[in-house]
Amino acid sequence: MNTPRLYVDSQFASPYAMSVFVALTEKGIDFQMSTVDLQALENQTEAYAALSQTQRVPTLVDGDFALSESSAITEYLENAYPQIPIYPHDVRRLAKARQLQAWIRSDLLPIRQERSTLVVFYGKKSGPLSPAARMAADKLFQAAQALLKEGTEHLFGQWSIADVDLALMLNRLILNGDAVPQVLVDYAQRQWQRPSVQAWVGLQRPTV
């Protein structure tokens, strides 16, 4: 059987590449990793476009099957390698986890614009949030606190890949020194200490 190959950005700063890396690691899947230099537009080469119709990272190649877009990949992994789950079993909790993943990827743009993941993985801090980003942050906090039941470690009763995605979004603010409710700081710190997450955080990165 061919070993799956994961294509990620060469700075190891993509939150979406991290999500798939953590999913593969949590499932105990042996995989290889290749980097794509986005600044050099390697993702637009003919060879990479042949693997990724979206010409983005991450892309997973599993045998003769290639798939891009991180939440699509993690859902594929859940179905193809079901032995160790990374999503809730309960159908309603599963729907909520997928809702959260879709929302984080499609909304909260001011946070993503003003709090690049360079603050998370390179310590590159930015100035105060704009009013639009502050509103987005308040929206994030409200949703996260509604999902995180009091006294629980994870969002949906047990750890899921959605916990990593939410913790990464929160850490864009926390690691920049922005004001974040303490309950969410504690939650993000717990998620960040997970061995699969630390394996990504600890990767050797090029200077920027």
Side-chain angles (χ1 to χ4, degrees):
M1 178 179 289
N2 293 329
T3 301
R5 181 173 294 275
L6 177 64
Y7 290 83
V8 303
D9 61 300
S10 58
Q11 293 181 335
F12 304 113
S14 165
Y16 313 119
M18 173 182 168
S19 186
V20 176
F21 176 96
V22 169
L24 286 161
T25 303
E26 288 284 343
K27 283 183 167 292
I29 300 170
D30 183 30
F31 68 99
Q32 297 177 334
M33 193 160 57
S34 295
T35 59
V36 179
D37 189 337
L38 302 180
Q39 293 182 330
L41 303 181
E42 287 183 359
N43 57 307
Q44 296 181 19
T45 63
E46 184 177 348
Y48 191 72
L51 294 175
S52 171
Q53 286 82 28
T54 61
Q55 298 183 28
R56 302 207 295 181
V57 296
T59 290
L60 179 73
V61 178
D62 189 9
D64 61 356
F65 179 69
L67 184 65
S68 300
E69 302 305 310
S70 58
S71 58
I73 297 172
T74 54
E75 289 179 26
Y76 163 75
L77 291 172
E78 184 75 334
N79 292 319
Y81 301 90
Q83 294 84 352
I84 301 176
I86 57 169
Y87 281 99
H89 288 297
D90 178 80
V91 65
R92 293 186 174 182
R93 288 181 172 181
L94 171 59
K96 283 288 190 179
R98 288 173 169 167
Q99 172 188 275
L100 177 63
Q101 286 187 299
W103 178 59
I104 285 175
R105 286 158 172 75
S106 63
D107 199 358
L108 309 173
L109 180 60
I111 297 176
R112 289 185 277 121
Q113 288 177 327
E114 298 181 28
R115 295 295 181 261
S116 154
T117 53
L118 293 181
V119 69
V120 177
F121 300 115
Y122 284 89
K124 185 178 180 181
K125 296 186 177 182
S126 302
L129 292 168
S130 68
R134 184 73 261 167
M135 288 180 62
D138 289 341
K139 183 179 179 181
L140 172 64
F141 301 156
Q142 183 178 11
Q145 288 178 296
L147 287 168
L148 191 64
K149 303 303 182 184
E150 185 175 355
T152 60
E153 290 190 5
H154 310 300
L155 292 171
F156 304 111
Q158 63 187 66
W159 178 88
S160 77
I161 194 64
D163 285 295
V164 172
D165 293 343
L166 178 58
L168 186 283
M169 182 59 80
L170 290 169
N171 271 335
R172 290 175 184 263
L173 300 162
I174 295 167
L175 297 178
N176 193 75
D178 299 306
V180 176
Q182 188 60 47
V183 64
L184 299 181
V185 174
D186 295 342
Y187 163 79
Q189 288 177 344
R190 285 196 304 271
Q191 301 304 323
W192 220 241
Q193 293 309 308
R194 199 167 181 90
S196 58
V197 174
Q198 281 297 302
W200 176 267
V201 173
L203 291 172
Q204 187 67 39
R205 292 175 169 80
T207 57
V208 296

